[in-house]
Amino acid sequence: MGDLLWILVSAMVVNNFTLFYFLGLCPFMGVSARVDTALRMGAANIFVLILTSLCAWFLNTFILPYAPFLRLISFIVVIASLVQIVEMVIKKVSPALFRQMGIYLPLITTNCAILGLAIFQTNRGYGFLQGMAFAVGAGLGLTLALVLMASIRENTELADIPEVAKGTALIFIIAGSLSLAFMGFAGMLSAT
Amino acid sequence: MTPARLLVTASPHLGGADSTPTIMWSVVGSLVPVVAVATYYFGPSALLVIAAASAGGVLTETWFGPKGALRDGSAAITGILLGLTLPAGLPLWMAFVGGVFGIGFGKLVFGGLGQNIFNPALLGRAFLQSAFPVAMTTWPTAAPHWSDLRGDNLAIPLMSPEVVDAMTGATPLGLMKFEQIGTQVSALIMGSVGGSLGETSALVVLGCGAYLAARKHLNWRIPASIFATVAVLSGSLHLLDAARYPGAMFMLFSGGLMLGAIYMATDMVTSPVTNKGCWVFGFGIGFLVVVIRLWGGLAEGVMYGILLMNALVPFINRATQPRVFGTDTKQVVT
Amino acid sequence: MARASGAVQLAGGVHPPELKALTEAVQIRRMPFPDEIVLPLRQHAGKPAMVIVRKGNRVERGDKIAEADGFVSSPIHASASGTITDISLWPHPDGSYAEAVRIAVEPFSAQAARPRLVPDWRGLSPEQIIQAIQDAGVVGLGGAAFPTHVKLSPPKEKPIDTIVLNGCECEPYLTTDHRTMVEYPERVHLGLRIMMRCIGVTRAIVGIERNKPDAIAAITATVPGDLDVTVQPVTVKYPQGAEKMLIDTLLGRRVPSGKLPMDVGVIVQNVASVATIAEVFESGLPLIERIVTVTGRGVKNPANLIVPVGTKLRDLLNACGGVTEDAYEIVFGGPMMGTAQANLDVPLLKGTTGVVVLTEADCKSKDTHPCIRCGHCLDACPVFLNPQLLGRLAMVARYEEMEANHLMDCMLCGCCSFACPSNIPLSQLFALAKNALRTRQAA
Amino acid sequence: MSDAHAGSGKGSPPPPARAEARSLRLLGTLAGGGLVAGLILVFVYEATQPTIRAYKAEVLRQAIYEVLKAPDRYDTLFVYDGRLTLELPDGVDSDDVERVYLGYVEREPVGFAIAAGKPGFQDIIRIIFGYDAATNTILGMKVLESKETPGLGDKIEKDMAFVTQFDGAQPELIGVKRGKGTGDSDEIDMITGATISSRTVIQIINEALERLGPMLETYGEVAKR
Amino acid sequence: MRETTPQQDLLRGIWRENPVLIQMLGLCPALAVTNTVANSIAMGLATFFVLCGSSVLVSLLKRFIPHEVRISTYILIIASFVTVADMTLEALVPVIHKALGAFIPLIVVNCMILGRQEAFAAKRSVGRSLLDAAGTGVGFIIALLMLGAVREVIGYGTFLGISLFGPSYEPWVVMILPPGGFLTLGFLLLGLNWVRRHREKRATLGEWPEGVRKEEAA
């Protein structure tokens, strides 16, 4: 149990996907302009991450031992089709949710956080529950980083940012500062 | 009889007593006793480190900041506060780098005073902490003579300091976390312990804070809620397992909590604008401090607690917007 | 009944220095008639009056010279006997030029009004009383100059149960209402009685700030036995005298955003205006003179004067011994919401509560600094806006977002600007934004 | 939008009658492409795998030799069913079973090499250490994997003063502040400023020995002389 | 699409449309593995190989790739090349492979590569596609090298492992940690912005008459 909690906390804050592994930077730059879109993107991410973790575990346990060279290809194919299926299901089941979340799903396909999760999970040999904890932690971490970034960016919109710092330069400096602040979580729950 | 010239401005024509420079310089003034105590304990090293950090901040503001920005005193505050969070033996060039980073990346890229998200002093310190982890956790002990330097302050820029092991000790929090050795609360209050320059004078800091709060130059709600949260959380944990978790007084008076709660967290620019938000902000800092100190890998969490909550401030501001007069009424309009 | 009998305080607001000592004990006296009177046709909220005299006409004191143009308008009367020398544009206290009637006052005139019939209000129907009040050109004397007869004619579907008399006078320096209450308490009560009769209300509350104990005593001592009038002392804070704040303090009712006091069954009237209603039915004279506080460290003999409406600022200052060497800024109204004057020829209007002559040391510093998000403006705002956010939005001209953040609830009381340590002219920015929005909506 | 067909000169959309043929072609292309890609991958996999495996084995061998102080040879033992065994029963995948390595010098067992891990300051720290069961002595310690802070936490692998302390230390190990120890053989001086990382290493050893506990008490029957 | 010359195809990606510094693509590897110059070079070369390989293949097969499934096909092609690169690196330079870790397989989702297939290789001749891929790949390597050089020199005091400032240099550990990646890129972009603005300003000022320039300066 402590093991699972550590995996979750570690993926969420100690080794935050965005701020420590630089995964999912595209949505971090792209959809972090408004807090509500950031929240929705985060929710969509958590959802897909959990499904991915499930699929990766399935592939790793039952298929890939026989064809290890297909690992990457099978991951990417599964993720792409997964997102497609999820999109279709949501569209059918809840058109309202689809309108809110739908447009982010295709973006997620090429989001390295998803593939990264599958690969990290494989490299570390996580089992089913560990994989779930990892996925939830990673998803929450991504959402946290996205929402923090979005609320900060909304705030800086009204500031007189110097010309040279406008745009991406400032975003990276904010991200760097956030990353510095997240260093405070290093060692969380590990050695006692 | 007719006045030679008349001023025509928009109303109101009266102004409150405080102006931004007044507030800033009074904060600078209130730091004088803190710096004095630091100098008493750490000798000339204290003054040198604070001066180097301030020089870094002030020079960056002069070179890259808007014209006349120095007069508002905010760069000086950042520099002095940064200096107070550093160990006495830190090479001066590192303190200078911290000041440059704090003002440059923590403030000027956001457009200068009032626009930054993170407390510049703490951002500078967080940078130093990550850049030079060894030097930043080398805590000098008392020197044989007051006038001795407490470490290799004068290390050549970019070069490593020479550390004499015998001259270094540990902070009370470090002792508690890594060696399970407690420190007397009386020693904490008197300041006769190791730590950064501003950590050793909790009572003086508290007094200066009271002065600033009385002059309304800081929002008392922030330190109050930080203290309350830390006291209640650590107090109840202490009741659960006294062997594992230190008591509330120890948590309150050890480390940078006093300095952080009174001078860093209350930085107006990087704290919430609403009073309700200030309570939330203080609670968050207190919570993070306890979590990082007790379950994290670091001995001290005040800096990170404040920086993390700084990042949340825009969100808190949004969530605690006051309800406009007449929009919350349940009265039936007849 | 009042919500509480003890100290009731408004949330928000500021404590500017009171500075009333200069004139609060100075007895009201009459100012000598000046040589010229200038009567702008726009002196009240609503449509300007329509002039009915010609150049060269001779008018007696109290003669109507301009007719109300519609319901929300008010007539204007000559405040001195003399000859109309010109009808042209003249500097207006709001900083613009406005159509005005200039009257050369007859020297050595007795300045007696034409003999007129004074109707006994007891015999009049409410409609007739209201008509009489409109004919007398009575407007609110608290500053906004809203025509009183409009206020006294609430629509049927909005029943009124309470009249609130506003004796707060929370603006620093001003003592007009204060002296009125001390010297003419009976007149206040008579006006109140007429109003209650007119609207058919049985209950009234007089709210007076605690820093005027003599006014509280005078008004309390003279409450007529047959009227349900409560005198409620309130804490000293600006803007306690704002209608919505006062209703909240006295009755615990909050006027919904965008609504009027009558929507919560209340009519608020300033004590000086009420006294004027009484005067109309005592003497038959219309509103042609008012009490003005001339004060500030920049004026030689601060005083509370009865001044003919239309007196030029220059004449008024001369009547008070002139200004001192270091006079720096002259404000019509209180220093929190009043307008600074650039021209000594501007006339006093019906709504001019006072003239404050400030020296440089009294004035707000002109240096502005960046906003440091101290949040003092949020604490100060009596309607709980977020002036800090609004100010940032105003700087980048995002007016629609300002509106979404309730800009229209701002009453420009100036508390945020007063509290701002960086001297950001918030209230001025909001005034501009409100105007821009109004213009856009009109277009 | 210019698509792939525009490039091939057939801009107009295919008529519906050809739809079936098209989807057949579609499938065919994908299947063909997949086949070719698969073949290439299998080829490269077969070509590289021996080298990769050999390298991994060599890394492990070196680590074992280092922590067991250069034994003549070593056996791989599986931790299965509460004991150490050389052979796994049929049907048990050897990849899923924890292993320890038993080293010999001149046919005499000298110690176990045990790999284990635990979350450190930043992420999981994995180490391997040699343990002589006969004398209850650590023979050596080597960090296999760590992401600890460069210049601070990574001293657990780079600071030889720290690493060599484990040679000859007697568990259960106790971490002490440098210079504060009594000189007993169960004490390990921790790295100043990297207490968590150093303590994690000590804990990994203590916990691994506790977990494997009785299995390691003697060399027992698994030791073939 | 505007017609371009072969030189433009090659040069475009190197600087003017640099994938990392201008287009903000491929950020994940650009930040994650650039803590040393050696890692930067390895990652750059691996990406270069995948990019060129898949561009050539896509360009060759463009006639046979049905429009509806083109993206999936591109991804399959890229994934195959990445797998090849991954295994080859692991066999040839295991130490660097270990340092790059999971970020080699992640080349698959580098938007830069997919972008070049969709925008260029699918429409042009093999030669042109190769030129374009090579240019973009070189641009990517240059960006990685810039980041890697700054971070290694400050963070370790070395360049390609060679000590620059002597043994007593105090390394700035933060530069090799994640915050250092963000801050370095932020700082580089700041510098690029400054240079660009400086140039623009000089260009504009040069054309203005004397009086206007003075006013601008005031």
Side-chain angles (χ1 to χ4, degrees):
Chain A
M1 192 57 219
D3 178 36
L4 292 183
L5 187 67
W6 179 81
I7 291 178
L8 192 139
V9 171
S10 165
M12 186 165 106
V13 289
V14 184
N15 295 300
N16 183 287
F17 261 38
T18 310
L19 298 174
F20 272 77
Y21 287 130
F22 309 100
L23 297 171
L25 275 183
C26 294
F28 189 64
M29 313 278 300
V31 291
S32 64
R34 298 249 87 87
V35 171
D36 43 350
T37 41
L39 269 171
R40 287 198 198 117
M41 181 71 185
N45 256 317
I46 296 178
F47 186 61
V48 176
L49 279 170
I50 291 175
L51 285 180
T52 305
S53 164
L54 202 78
C55 292
W57 170 80
F58 182 84
L59 287 173
N60 278 330
T61 317
F62 298 107
I63 295 175
L64 291 180
Y66 307 104
F69 48 86
L70 283 182
R71 202 178 78 183
L72 190 55
I73 293 183
S74 61
F75 279 168
I76 194 88
V77 166
V78 165
I79 291 170
S81 20
L82 188 76
V83 173
Q84 202 91 91
I85 293 167
V86 168
E87 198 179 341
M88 270 153 42
V89 169
I90 293 184
K91 203 172 188 175
K92 201 138 205 176
V93 175
S94 164
L97 186 66
F98 179 76
R99 269 196 302 278
Q100 295 199 328
M101 233 165 93
I103 48 164
Y104 303 113
L105 287 170
L107 281 175
I108 291 177
T109 319
T110 51
N111 177 344
C112 33
I114 310 289
L115 185 61
L117 178 99
I119 292 171
F120 277 120
Q121 181 179 344
T122 310
N123 285 355
R124 293 172 185 187
Y126 281 163
F128 178 72
L129 280 179
Q130 291 168 316
M132 284 292 115
F134 189 51
V136 172
L140 289 175
L142 279 179
T143 313
L144 185 65
L146 258 176
V147 170
L148 281 179
M149 192 64 181
S151 69
I152 291 175
R153 275 180 71 183
E154 273 189 18
N155 206 55
T156 53
E157 230 174 79
L158 294 176
D160 326 317
I161 308 294
E163 283 298 324
V164 288
K166 269 189 183 146
T168 37
L170 185 73
I171 297 180
F172 281 112
I173 289 170
I174 297 173
S177 311
L178 275 176
S179 183
L180 273 181
F182 268 66
M183 303 282 282
F185 289 116
M188 188 59 67
L189 293 185
S190 55
T192 35
Chain B
M1 128 85 225
T2 309
R5 57 193 182 120
L6 280 179
L7 177 74
V8 179
T9 56
S11 64
H13 309 281
L14 298 181
D18 291 331
S19 73
T20 298
T22 320
I23 295 177
M24 295 291 178
W25 287 112
S26 99
V27 174
V28 173
S30 78
L31 282 169
V32 169
V34 184
V35 174
V37 172
T39 314
Y40 170 76
Y41 283 118
F42 295 106
S45 283
L47 287 178
L48 284 175
V49 168
I50 292 171
S54 308
V58 167
L59 288 177
T60 312
E61 180 104 0
T62 321
W63 287 328
F64 300 108
K67 278 201 187 87
L70 279 186
R71 259 175 292 149
D72 60 38
S74 56
I77 296 185
T78 300
I80 299 173
L81 283 179
L82 172 63
L84 285 172
T85 60
L86 301 175
L90 195 74
L92 297 183
W93 69 267
M94 291 186 188
F96 185 85
V97 165
V100 171
F101 184 86
I103 292 286
F105 277 58
K107 186 171 153 192
L108 293 181
V109 292
F110 290 94
L113 178 62
Q115 326 254 22
N116 48 309
I117 301 291
F118 299 96
N119 182 314
L122 286 184
L123 202 64
R125 189 189 193 278
F127 183 80
L128 291 179
Q129 173 84 57
S130 297
F132 314 112
V134 180
M136 287 292 288
T137 45
T138 304
W139 310 105
T141 49
H145 304 290
W146 179 83
S147 54
D148 289 349
L149 289 183
R150 303 302 200 268
D152 195 2
N153 286 127
L154 303 175
I156 305 160
L158 298 184
M159 295 300 146
S160 307
E162 285 167 26
V163 178
V164 187
D165 248 6
M167 273 183 69
T168 62
T171 64
L173 278 169
L175 288 172
M176 174 52 93
K177 184 164 193 86
F178 301 124
E179 295 165 49
Q180 283 75 41
I181 299 169
T183 308
Q184 287 295 312
V185 173
S186 58
L188 291 174
I189 292 177
M190 292 314 294
S192 50
V193 292
S196 74
L197 296 174
E199 278 183 15
T200 49
S201 40
L203 269 195
V204 180
V205 173
L206 202 58
C208 296
Y211 162 78
L212 286 178
R215 289 196 61 182
K216 299 215 165 149
H217 291 172
L218 61 79
N219 194 332
W220 59 270
R221 293 165 188 88
I222 295 174
S225 65
I226 294 176
F227 295 152
T229 310
V230 170
V232 169
L233 273 183
S234 59
S236 24
L237 285 169
H238 184 68
L239 283 181
L240 284 177
D241 186 352
R244 198 155 161 219
Y245 301 116
M249 283 306 271
F250 176 83
M251 290 287 275
L252 281 180
F253 283 96
S254 58
L257 190 78
M258 282 294 156
L259 191 72
I262 285 173
Y263 280 105
M264 314 284 194
T266 56
D267 170 15
M268 288 168 172
V269 178
T270 55
S271 60
V273 290
T274 61
N275 286 332
K276 212 198 292 173
C278 286
W279 288 112
V280 177
F281 181 70
F283 166 78
I285 293 173
F287 176 78
L288 285 171
V289 167
V290 172
V291 165
I292 292 176
R293 280 186 182 178
L294 297 184
W295 295 295
L298 302 163
E300 175 60 306
V302 173
M303 168 177 80
Y304 291 112
I306 297 175
L307 282 175
L308 288 164
M309 288 311 288
N310 281 165
L312 268 174
V313 162
F315 201 72
I316 297 176
N317 276 340
R318 249 165 80 106
T320 58
Q321 281 255 15
R323 300 221 43 182
V324 171
F325 188 95
T327 55
D328 53 350
T329 179
K330 298 255 167 4
Q331 227 159 355
V332 182
V333 179
T334 47
Chain C
M1 262 331 286
R3 187 166 63 179
S5 54
V8 189
Q9 198 178 347
L10 78 156
V14 290
H15 287 285
E18 293 172 27
L19 302 160
K20 296 188 188 258
L22 289 172
T23 52
E24 66 186 350
V26 179
Q27 208 163 18
I28 298 173
R29 62 187 168 87
R30 192 168 278 277
M31 171 194 166
F33 280 89
D35 298 337
E36 188 184 40
I37 292 282
V38 180
L39 291 162
L41 300 176
R42 177 155 57 78
Q43 296 204 22
H44 44 262
K47 284 179 94 171
M50 289 184 304
V51 69
I52 54 171
V53 289
R54 292 225 184 117
K55 187 170 167 181
N57 286 5
R58 188 184 171 279
V59 288
E60 293 262 331
R61 184 159 175 259
D63 284 357
K64 191 183 277 183
I65 57 160
E67 193 72 72
D69 182 11
F71 182 60
V72 189
S73 183
S74 190
I76 290 163
H77 303 82
S79 52
S81 308
T83 315
I84 301 197
T85 53
D86 201 4
I87 302 173
S88 60
L89 291 177
W90 190 263
H92 191 275
D94 68 7
S96 65
Y97 279 73
E99 196 78 12
V101 177
R102 292 171 66 186
I103 302 170
V105 179
E106 280 169 8
F108 315 115
S109 161
Q111 292 295 354
R114 278 183 218 278
R116 60 187 68 214
L117 238 88
V118 181
D120 181 5
W121 64 275
R122 286 178 196 82
L124 297 179
S125 70
E127 289 74 24
Q128 286 169 316
I129 296 179
I130 289 170
Q131 187 61 50
I133 288 174
Q134 178 174 16
D135 287 345
V138 180
V139 300
L141 297 190
F146 191 73
T148 304
H149 63 276
V150 182
K151 224 178 207 178
L152 294 181
S153 324
K156 284 243 161 15
E157 64 274 16
K158 291 182 180 165
I160 305 296
D161 56 36
T162 312
I163 289 179
V164 165
L165 274 201
N166 185 352
C168 289
E169 200 162 43
C170 51
E171 278 266 11
Y173 285 109
L174 302 186
T175 55
T176 312
D177 295 350
H178 183 178
R179 290 311 299 175
T180 307
M181 290 187 283
V182 171
E183 295 186 39
Y184 311 116
E186 289 88 359
R187 204 179 272 171
V188 171
H189 287 303
L190 176 61
L192 181 58
R193 187 188 289 275
I194 297 171
M195 267 180 72
M196 291 168 86
R197 157 87 195 281
C198 201
I199 307 167
V201 174
T202 54
R203 181 170 76 146
I205 302 173
V206 190
I208 305 173
E209 279 189 340
R210 283 177 193 282
N211 59 354
K212 308 174 183 65
D214 47 348
I216 296 172
I219 292 285
T220 316
T222 52
V223 171
D226 58 330
L227 284 185
D228 176 11
V229 175
T230 322
V231 177
Q232 177 70 60
V234 293
T235 42
V236 184
K237 204 172 190 187
Y238 177 86
Q240 182 65 70
E243 285 185 340
K244 293 184 176 185
M245 311 297 108
L246 191 59
I247 296 171
D248 186 28
T249 313
L250 294 178
L251 294 161
R253 299 183 193 169
R254 283 209 168 162
V255 180
S257 160
K259 301 282 183 176
L260 295 169
M262 65 171 78
D263 289 299
V264 293
V266 182
I267 282 182
V268 183
Q269 196 62 279
N270 165 271
V271 285
S273 322
V274 177
T276 309
I277 295 176
E279 255 189 299
V280 168
F281 292 98
E282 272 176 348
S283 63
L285 273 181
L287 174 54
I288 50 172
E289 57 189 26
R290 63 155 299 149
I291 302 165
V292 174
T293 305
V294 185
T295 179
R297 273 187 275 264
V299 71
K300 285 198 178 127
N301 308 318
N304 298 301
L305 296 178
I306 297 176
V307 181
V309 173
T311 303
K312 286 184 290 187
L313 176 57
R314 184 188 308 280
D315 298 328
L316 181 70
L317 291 174
N318 285 339
C320 296
V323 295
T324 58
E325 284 292 302
D326 54 351
Y328 188 61
E329 185 172 30
I330 300 177
V331 179
F332 269 24
M336 295 298 288
M337 287 183 78
T339 335
Q341 299 304 324
N343 193 329
L344 291 182
D345 288 325
V346 293
L348 268 82
L349 309 182
K350 291 178 181 177
T352 308
T353 48
V355 172
V356 184
V357 185
L358 299 166
T359 62
E360 186 159 6
D362 300 326
C363 287
K364 202 168 90 139
S365 153
K366 287 175 305 242
D367 296 340
T368 61
H369 303 276
C371 167
I372 54 167
R373 295 192 264 207
C374 60
H376 289 179
C377 51
L378 279 105
D379 291 343
C381 182
V383 289
F384 317 132
L385 296 170
N386 185 345
Q388 184 259 342
L389 177 66
L390 289 174
R392 292 213 167 191
L393 290 169
M395 302 268 199
V396 288
R398 281 157 58 164
Y399 296 141
E400 273 72 23
E401 272 170 74
M402 294 177 75
E403 199 176 8
N405 282 291
H406 299 278
L407 172 69
M408 286 311 180
D409 283 289
C410 172
M411 50 189 192
L412 302 176
C413 66
C415 287
C416 45
S417 299
F418 175 84
C420 181
S422 289
N423 275 329
I424 298 168
L426 292 165
S427 119
Q428 188 181 8
L429 288 169
F430 301 159
L432 289 171
K434 284 176 92 164
N435 275 337
L437 277 170
R438 273 197 209 107
T439 321
R440 252 182 237 185
Q441 273 153 9
Chain D
M1 181 166 139
S2 64
D3 57 359
H5 302 288
S8 58
K10 287 174 236 160
S12 59
R18 283 177 51 203
E20 201 174 319
R22 254 192 72 74
S23 49
L24 270 179
R25 206 194 110 197
L26 222 145
L27 266 178
T29 330
L30 274 183
L35 204 69
V36 174
L39 282 175
I40 295 174
L41 287 184
V42 171
F43 173 74
V44 177
Y45 180 74
E46 292 302 330
T48 53
Q49 238 10 251
T51 333
I52 295 172
R53 277 178 197 276
Y55 174 74
K56 281 185 176 161
E58 176 60 20
V59 169
L60 181 66
R61 198 187 64 80
Q62 276 185 7
I64 293 168
Y65 270 66
E66 207 175 313
V67 296
L68 290 180
K69 304 299 163 202
D72 296 340
R73 65 180 178 86
Y74 68 88
D75 284 342
T76 304
L77 305 174
F78 298 100
V79 182
Y80 187 75
D81 206 12
R83 62 195 180 86
L84 299 176
T85 168
L86 272 165
E87 303 284 331
L88 281 173
D90 286 346
V92 177
D93 187 352
S94 63
D95 286 350
D96 295 344
V97 179
E98 185 183 354
R99 301 159 198 206
V100 296
Y101 309 91
L102 178 54
Y104 298 90
V105 172
E106 292 175 357
R107 308 180 68 83
E108 281 296 313
V110 290
F112 295 104
I114 303 162
K118 194 175 188 294
F121 188 65
Q122 196 58 252
D123 212 332
I124 304 260
I125 298 175
R126 286 189 63 78
I127 64 163
I128 187 167
F129 64 95
Y131 171 66
D132 182 358
T135 54
N136 184 34
T137 311
I138 305 288
L139 298 172
M141 187 279 295
K142 182 178 167 63
V143 174
L144 296 174
E145 214 176 294
S146 97
K147 291 201 178 68
E148 303 302 280
T149 322
L152 202 57
D154 72 348
K155 282 188 185 165
I156 54 171
E157 49 185 318
K158 299 204 172 133
D159 185 348
M160 287 330 280
F162 178 75
V163 175
T164 50
Q165 289 181 76
F166 288 89
D167 305 1
Q170 291 192 306
E172 185 176 343
L173 302 177
I174 301 168
V176 295
K177 197 175 151 64
R178 183 168 292 177
K180 295 280 171 67
T182 54
D184 288 351
S185 55
D186 61 347
E187 284 176 350
I188 299 289
D189 285 353
M190 295 196 286
I191 299 163
T192 315
T195 319
I196 298 242
S197 306
S198 13
R199 194 195 279 165
T200 305
V201 174
I202 294 166
Q203 281 174 350
I204 292 173
I205 295 178
N206 286 341
E207 282 171 18
L209 290 177
E210 194 184 339
R211 179 163 46 82
L212 297 171
M215 289 179 252
L216 301 179
E217 264 169 15
T218 56
Y219 292 108
E221 76 267 22
V222 285
K224 334 176 271 187
R225 295 184 186 238
Chain E
M1 195 191 243
R2 200 161 33 85
E3 268 318 306
T4 50
T5 64
Q7 285 94 329
Q8 281 174 320
D9 287 344
L10 179 66
L11 296 177
R12 181 180 43 211
I14 295 181
W15 190 250
R16 205 162 48 79
E17 288 180 19
N18 187 293
V20 178
L21 299 174
I22 310 293
Q23 299 190 59
M24 299 293 141
L25 295 173
L27 290 174
C28 169
L31 292 170
V33 299
T34 51
N35 46 9
T36 65
V37 176
N39 286 354
S40 306
I41 293 176
M43 175 51 96
L45 287 177
T47 313
F48 183 84
F49 162 72
V50 173
L51 180 56
C52 291
S54 36
S55 273
V56 168
L57 201 59
V58 165
S59 183
L60 272 176
L61 298 178
K62 62 177 180 276
R63 275 162 197 255
F64 306 102
I65 299 173
H67 183 64
E68 294 85 345
V69 290
R70 66 186 194 289
I71 301 282
S72 329
T73 318
Y74 301 157
I75 292 186
L76 275 182
I77 290 174
I78 298 169
S80 308
F81 274 103
V82 173
T83 312
V84 169
D86 188 24
M87 293 192 281
T88 317
L89 274 179
E90 191 170 6
L92 296 182
V93 276
V95 179
I96 284 192
H97 182 270
K98 197 183 168 195
L100 301 185
F103 291 98
I104 295 203
L106 282 172
I107 296 177
V108 177
V109 281
N110 187 332
C111 318
M112 175 186 85
I113 298 178
L114 191 61
R116 287 339 288 167
Q117 312 312 322
E118 171 76 357
F120 204 92
K123 298 162 200 163
R124 297 303 170 87
S125 68
V126 177
R128 286 293 191 87
S129 300
L130 185 61
L131 279 180
D132 175 67
T136 311
V138 170
F140 186 70
I141 294 178
I142 289 176
L144 257 61
L145 267 181
M146 283 170 75
L147 281 161
V150 172
R151 291 177 71 183
E152 185 180 336
V153 167
I154 303 180
Y156 287 111
T158 61
F159 185 83
L160 273 173
I162 303 155
S163 170
L164 295 181
F165 307 105
S168 66
Y169 174 78
E170 175 80 13
W172 299 34
V173 182
V174 70
M175 297 307 280
I176 26 186
L177 297 176
F182 282 119
L183 293 172
T184 310
L185 184 53
F187 191 71
L188 277 181
L189 292 175
L190 211 74
L192 287 178
N193 269 349
W194 186 81
V195 170
R196 198 177 306 138
R197 270 179 55 79
H198 200 69
R199 253 190 227 152
E200 274 169 20
K201 212 167 166 184
R202 243 193 356 221
T204 350
L205 283 181
E207 290 161 16
W208 281 4
E210 195 63 23
V212 182
R213 197 186 333 175
K214 266 180 193 154
E215 232 174 65
E216 168 76 9

